[in-house]
Amino acid sequence: MDVLYFAWVRERIGVPKERIETGAATVADLVEELKAREERYEVAFSDLSALRVAVDQELSDFDAPLDGAREVAFFPPMTGG
């Protein structure tokens, strides 16, 4: 699965994208796996209320299932202007 990071999430983790193998059932499970990897992930995912997620380019919730998903993207909330 491809995991993409945008804006300050990318800055904290240090890469824009990575391919990972995961057994995570939901986005929240994936976040827990990532947080367990290294401190930089723990920092980036410390406040999930400050993040949005898309699964296969569709805005999703953190309880969204990952079965069959090819891409998960994390980004801060978007503002209009």
Side-chain angles (χ1 to χ4, degrees):
M1 164 185 309
D2 288 329
V3 181
L4 289 72
Y5 310 107
F6 294 93
W8 58 258
V9 184
R10 176 183 62 229
E11 292 171 10
R12 291 179 184 171
I13 291 176
V15 295
K17 175 181 175 180
E18 58 187 331
R19 184 173 265 300
I20 65 165
E21 296 291 326
T22 181
T26 66
V27 173
D29 294 338
L30 175 62
V31 168
E32 289 306 312
E33 282 184 14
L34 292 170
K35 286 169 67 173
R37 282 178 154 193
E38 295 177 35
E39 185 178 347
R40 61 188 171 137
Y41 294 94
E42 180 73 37
V43 170
F45 293 110
S46 64
D47 181 7
L48 295 185
S49 69
L51 284 173
R52 298 295 176 264
V53 63
V55 176
D56 289 334
Q57 300 183 3
E58 296 220 5
L59 199 56
S60 301
D61 293 320
F62 283 88
D63 61 354
L66 291 179
D67 189 37
R70 292 177 293 167
E71 178 185 279
V72 176
F74 296 100
F75 49 91
M78 297 165 278
T79 59

